[in-house]
Amino acid sequence: MFIAMNRFKIVKGMEEDFIEIWKRRESYLEGVPGFREFHLLQGQSYDDYTLFASHSVWDSPQVFEDWTRSEAFRLAHARAGSAKNVYMGPPNLELFEAVI
Ligand code: HEM
């Protein structure tokens, strides 16, 4: 099992706007070979931002890499980052391989 998490720092007060972007998105994950689950996670709030993570679960690093090079990835990100007022900078990608 392989997990890809992208951490987003969202400007305080813009949390609902960010959640709406994800709720309204056109998802292309269903049917992607090796894709298992997706969650949007809301974390702690700090002085000037709230932490979120997009959390995706895959069968293996290979199927995840294949998806990042796919048309499904390109389509899902065609508008990503366009609502510049909600983000405090670019997201932070973290990749994990399950060892147990
Ligand atoms: C390899 C790096 C990345 C991974 C693993 C990743 C992961 C994901 C996943 C799993 C989805 C849902 C796709 C779907 O439902 O079909 C998604 C969509 C999205 N991603 Fe990424 N992403 C990456 C890069 C980025 C970057 C650089 C941004 C910049 C802001 C970003 C922002 C977004 C947003 C905002 C959406 C929702 C799409 C929309 O606006 O409708 N992602 N991402």
Side-chain angles (χ1 to χ4, degrees), residues 9 11 14 17-18 20 41 54 62 73 87 90 94 100:
K9 287 182 179 175
V11 174
M14 300 305 283
D17 297 67
F18 181 69
E20 274 304 305
L41 309 176
S54 69
Q62 189 57 55
F73 181 91
Y87 302 102
E94 293 174 329
I100 295 180

Side-chain angles (χ1 to χ4, degrees), residues 33-78:
F35 165 74
R36 293 194 192 179
E37 286 173 43
F38 175 81
H39 308 277
L40 183 66
L41 309 176
Q42 180 166 357
Q44 275 181 276
S45 286
Y46 300 90
D47 283 350
D48 50 352
Y49 69 88
T50 298
L51 185 64
F52 283 84
S54 69
H55 176 273
S56 57
V57 184
W58 305 83
D59 284 350
S60 66
Q62 189 57 55
V63 295
F64 167 73
E65 275 165 36
D66 291 346
W67 171 72
T68 62
R69 293 195 201 94
S70 72
E71 182 66 2
F73 181 91
R74 196 190 64 74
L75 288 170
H77 290 90

Side-chain angles (χ1 to χ4, degrees), residues 3-6 8 18 20-30 32 35 37-39 54-58 64 67-68 72-73 75-83 86-87 89-95:
I3 293 176
M5 286 181 43
N6 221 1
F8 295 87
F18 181 69
E20 274 304 305
I21 289 172
W22 285 85
K23 275 190 187 156
R24 291 213 209 108
R25 83 191 195 280
E26 193 95 48
S27 182
Y28 303 92
L29 289 170
E30 279 318 311
V32 171
F35 165 74
E37 286 173 43
F38 175 81
H39 308 277
S54 69
H55 176 273
S56 57
V57 184
W58 305 83
F64 167 73
W67 171 72
T68 62
F73 181 91
L75 288 170
H77 290 90
R79 288 170 303 117
S82 57
V86 306
Y87 302 102
N92 224 355
L93 182 66
E94 293 174 329
L95 304 174

